[in-house]
CSV table of all heavy atoms in Angstrom, one decimal:
chain,number,residue,atom,x,y,z
A,294,GLN,N,-84.1,-231.9,79.8
A,294,GLN,CA,-83.8,-232.3,81.2
A,294,GLN,C,-82.3,-232.4,81.2
A,294,GLN,O,-81.7,-233.0,80.4
A,294,GLN,CB,-84.4,-233.6,81.5
A,294,GLN,CG,-84.1,-234.1,82.9
A,294,GLN,CD,-84.6,-235.5,83.2
A,294,GLN,OE1,-84.7,-236.3,82.3
A,294,GLN,NE2,-84.9,-235.8,84.5
A,295,LEU,N,-81.7,-231.8,82.3
A,295,LEU,CA,-80.3,-231.9,82.5
A,295,LEU,C,-79.9,-232.7,83.7
A,295,LEU,O,-80.7,-232.8,84.6
A,295,LEU,CB,-79.7,-230.5,82.7
A,295,LEU,CG,-80.0,-229.4,81.6
A,295,LEU,CD1,-79.4,-228.1,82.1
A,295,LEU,CD2,-79.3,-229.8,80.3
A,296,LYS,N,-78.7,-233.3,83.6
A,296,LYS,CA,-78.2,-234.0,84.8
A,296,LYS,C,-77.3,-233.0,85.5
A,296,LYS,O,-76.3,-232.5,84.9
A,296,LYS,CB,-77.4,-235.3,84.3
A,296,LYS,CG,-76.8,-236.1,85.5
A,296,LYS,CD,-76.1,-237.3,85.0
A,296,LYS,CE,-75.6,-238.1,86.3
A,296,LYS,NZ,-74.8,-239.2,85.9
A,297,VAL,N,-77.6,-232.7,86.7
A,297,VAL,CA,-77.0,-231.6,87.4
A,297,VAL,C,-76.3,-232.1,88.7
A,297,VAL,O,-77.0,-232.7,89.5
A,297,VAL,CB,-77.9,-230.4,87.7
A,297,VAL,CG1,-77.2,-229.3,88.4
A,297,VAL,CG2,-78.6,-229.9,86.5
A,298,ALA,N,-75.1,-231.7,88.9
A,298,ALA,CA,-74.4,-232.0,90.2
A,298,ALA,C,-74.5,-230.7,91.1
A,298,ALA,O,-74.2,-229.6,90.6
A,298,ALA,CB,-73.0,-232.4,90.0
A,299,VAL,N,-75.0,-230.9,92.3
A,299,VAL,CA,-75.0,-229.8,93.2
A,299,VAL,C,-73.9,-230.1,94.3
A,299,VAL,O,-74.1,-231.2,94.9
A,299,VAL,CB,-76.4,-229.5,93.9
A,299,VAL,CG1,-76.3,-228.5,95.0
A,299,VAL,CG2,-77.4,-229.2,92.8
A,300,ILE,N,-72.9,-229.3,94.5
A,300,ILE,CA,-71.8,-229.6,95.4
A,300,ILE,C,-72.2,-228.9,96.7
A,300,ILE,O,-72.1,-227.6,96.8
A,300,ILE,CB,-70.5,-229.2,94.9
A,300,ILE,CG1,-70.2,-229.9,93.5
A,300,ILE,CG2,-69.4,-229.5,95.9
A,300,ILE,CD1,-68.9,-229.5,92.8
A,301,GLY,N,-72.5,-229.6,97.7
A,301,GLY,CA,-72.8,-229.1,99.0
A,301,GLY,C,-74.3,-229.2,99.4
A,301,GLY,O,-75.1,-228.8,98.6
A,302,ALA,N,-74.6,-229.7,100.6
A,302,ALA,CA,-75.9,-229.8,101.1
A,302,ALA,C,-76.2,-228.9,102.2
A,302,ALA,O,-76.9,-229.2,103.2
A,302,ALA,CB,-76.2,-231.3,101.5
A,303,GLY,N,-75.7,-227.7,102.1
A,303,GLY,CA,-76.0,-226.6,103.1
A,303,GLY,C,-77.3,-225.9,102.6
A,303,GLY,O,-78.0,-226.4,101.7
A,304,LEU,N,-77.5,-224.8,103.2
A,304,LEU,CA,-78.8,-224.0,102.8
A,304,LEU,C,-78.9,-223.8,101.3
A,304,LEU,O,-79.9,-224.1,100.7
A,304,LEU,CB,-78.7,-222.7,103.6
A,304,LEU,CG,-80.0,-221.8,103.5
A,304,LEU,CD1,-80.3,-221.2,104.8
A,304,LEU,CD2,-79.8,-220.8,102.4
A,305,CYS,N,-77.8,-223.2,100.7
A,305,CYS,CA,-77.9,-222.9,99.3
A,305,CYS,C,-78.0,-224.2,98.4
A,305,CYS,O,-78.7,-224.2,97.4
A,305,CYS,CB,-76.7,-222.1,98.8
A,305,CYS,SG,-76.7,-220.4,99.6
A,306,GLY,N,-77.3,-225.2,98.8
A,306,GLY,CA,-77.3,-226.5,98.0
A,306,GLY,C,-78.7,-227.1,98.1
A,306,GLY,O,-79.2,-227.6,97.1
A,307,LEU,N,-79.4,-227.0,99.2
A,307,LEU,CA,-80.7,-227.6,99.4
A,307,LEU,C,-81.7,-226.8,98.5
A,307,LEU,O,-82.5,-227.4,97.8
A,307,LEU,CB,-81.2,-227.5,100.9
A,307,LEU,CG,-80.3,-228.4,101.8
A,307,LEU,CD1,-80.8,-228.1,103.3
A,307,LEU,CD2,-80.4,-229.8,101.5
A,308,ILE,N,-81.6,-225.5,98.5
A,308,ILE,CA,-82.5,-224.7,97.7
A,308,ILE,C,-82.3,-224.9,96.2
A,308,ILE,O,-83.2,-225.1,95.4
A,308,ILE,CB,-82.3,-223.2,98.0
A,308,ILE,CG1,-83.0,-222.9,99.4
A,308,ILE,CG2,-82.9,-222.3,97.0
A,308,ILE,CD1,-84.5,-223.0,99.4
A,309,ALA,N,-81.0,-225.0,95.8
A,309,ALA,CA,-80.7,-225.2,94.4
A,309,ALA,C,-81.2,-226.6,94.0
A,309,ALA,O,-81.8,-226.7,92.9
A,309,ALA,CB,-79.2,-225.1,94.2
A,310,ALA,N,-81.0,-227.6,94.8
A,310,ALA,CA,-81.5,-228.9,94.4
A,310,ALA,C,-83.0,-229.0,94.3
A,310,ALA,O,-83.5,-229.5,93.3
A,310,ALA,CB,-81.0,-229.9,95.5
A,311,ARG,N,-83.7,-228.3,95.2
A,311,ARG,CA,-85.1,-228.3,95.2
A,311,ARG,C,-85.6,-227.7,93.9
A,311,ARG,O,-86.5,-228.2,93.2
A,311,ARG,CB,-85.8,-227.7,96.4
A,311,ARG,CG,-87.3,-227.8,96.3
A,311,ARG,CD,-88.1,-226.9,97.0
A,311,ARG,NE,-87.8,-225.5,96.9
A,311,ARG,CZ,-88.5,-224.6,97.6
A,311,ARG,NH1,-89.5,-225.0,98.4
A,311,ARG,NH2,-88.2,-223.3,97.5
A,312,GLU,N,-85.1,-226.5,93.6
A,312,GLU,CA,-85.5,-225.7,92.4
A,312,GLU,C,-85.2,-226.5,91.1
A,312,GLU,O,-86.0,-226.5,90.2
A,312,GLU,CB,-85.0,-224.3,92.5
A,312,GLU,CG,-85.5,-223.5,93.6
A,312,GLU,CD,-87.1,-223.4,93.6
A,312,GLU,OE1,-87.7,-223.1,92.5
A,312,GLU,OE2,-87.7,-223.6,94.7
A,313,LEU,N,-84.0,-227.1,91.1
A,313,LEU,CA,-83.7,-227.8,89.9
A,313,LEU,C,-84.6,-229.0,89.7
A,313,LEU,O,-85.0,-229.3,88.6
A,313,LEU,CB,-82.2,-228.3,90.0
A,313,LEU,CG,-81.2,-227.2,89.8
A,313,LEU,CD1,-79.8,-227.6,90.3
A,313,LEU,CD2,-81.1,-226.7,88.3
A,314,GLU,N,-84.9,-229.7,90.8
A,314,GLU,CA,-85.8,-230.9,90.7
A,314,GLU,C,-87.2,-230.4,90.3
A,314,GLU,O,-87.9,-231.1,89.5
A,314,GLU,CB,-85.8,-231.7,91.9
A,314,GLU,CG,-86.6,-233.0,91.7
A,314,GLU,CD,-86.5,-234.0,92.8
A,314,GLU,OE1,-86.9,-233.6,94.0
A,314,GLU,OE2,-86.1,-235.1,92.6
A,315,ARG,N,-87.6,-229.3,90.8
A,315,ARG,CA,-88.9,-228.7,90.4
A,315,ARG,C,-89.0,-228.5,88.9
A,315,ARG,O,-90.1,-228.5,88.3
A,315,ARG,CB,-89.2,-227.4,91.1
A,315,ARG,CG,-89.7,-227.5,92.5
A,315,ARG,CD,-90.1,-226.2,93.1
A,315,ARG,NE,-90.8,-226.3,94.3
A,315,ARG,CZ,-91.1,-225.3,95.1
A,315,ARG,NH1,-90.8,-224.1,94.7
A,315,ARG,NH2,-91.8,-225.5,96.2
A,316,GLU,N,-87.9,-228.2,88.3
A,316,GLU,CA,-87.8,-228.0,86.8
A,316,GLU,C,-87.6,-229.3,86.1
A,316,GLU,O,-87.2,-229.3,84.9
A,316,GLU,CB,-86.7,-227.0,86.5
A,316,GLU,CG,-87.0,-225.6,87.1
A,316,GLU,CD,-88.2,-224.9,86.4
A,316,GLU,OE1,-88.4,-225.1,85.2
A,316,GLU,OE2,-88.9,-224.2,87.1
A,317,SER,N,-87.7,-230.4,86.8
A,317,SER,CA,-87.6,-231.8,86.2
A,317,SER,C,-86.2,-232.2,85.8
A,317,SER,O,-86.0,-233.0,84.9
A,317,SER,CB,-88.6,-231.9,85.0
A,317,SER,OG,-89.9,-231.7,85.5
A,318,HIS,N,-85.2,-231.6,86.4
A,318,HIS,CA,-83.8,-232.0,86.1
A,318,HIS,C,-83.4,-233.2,87.0
A,318,HIS,O,-84.0,-233.4,88.1
A,318,HIS,CB,-82.8,-230.8,86.3
A,318,HIS,CG,-83.1,-229.7,85.4
A,318,HIS,ND1,-83.0,-229.8,84.0
A,318,HIS,CD2,-83.5,-228.4,85.7
A,318,HIS,CE1,-83.3,-228.6,83.5
A,318,HIS,NE2,-83.6,-227.8,84.4
A,319,GLU,N,-82.5,-233.9,86.5
A,319,GLU,CA,-81.9,-235.1,87.3
A,319,GLU,C,-80.9,-234.5,88.2
A,319,GLU,O,-79.8,-234.0,87.7
A,319,GLU,CB,-81.4,-236.1,86.4
A,319,GLU,CG,-80.8,-237.3,87.1
A,319,GLU,CD,-80.1,-238.3,86.2
A,319,GLU,OE1,-80.4,-238.3,85.0
A,319,GLU,OE2,-79.3,-239.1,86.7
A,320,VAL,N,-81.1,-234.5,89.5
A,320,VAL,CA,-80.2,-233.8,90.5
A,320,VAL,C,-79.5,-234.8,91.4
A,320,VAL,O,-80.1,-235.7,91.9
A,320,VAL,CB,-81.0,-232.8,91.3
A,320,VAL,CG1,-80.0,-232.1,92.3
A,320,VAL,CG2,-81.7,-231.8,90.5
Side-chain angles (χ1 to χ4, degrees):
Q294 181 187 30
L295 301 176
K296 183 177 180 184
V297 183
V299 175
I300 302 172
L304 186 142
C305 292
L307 298 174
I308 287 293
R311 185 205 42 185
E312 293 304 313
L313 287 163
E314 190 173 55
R315 277 185 170 175
E316 295 293 324
S317 300
H318 297 297
E319 180 185 343
V320 180

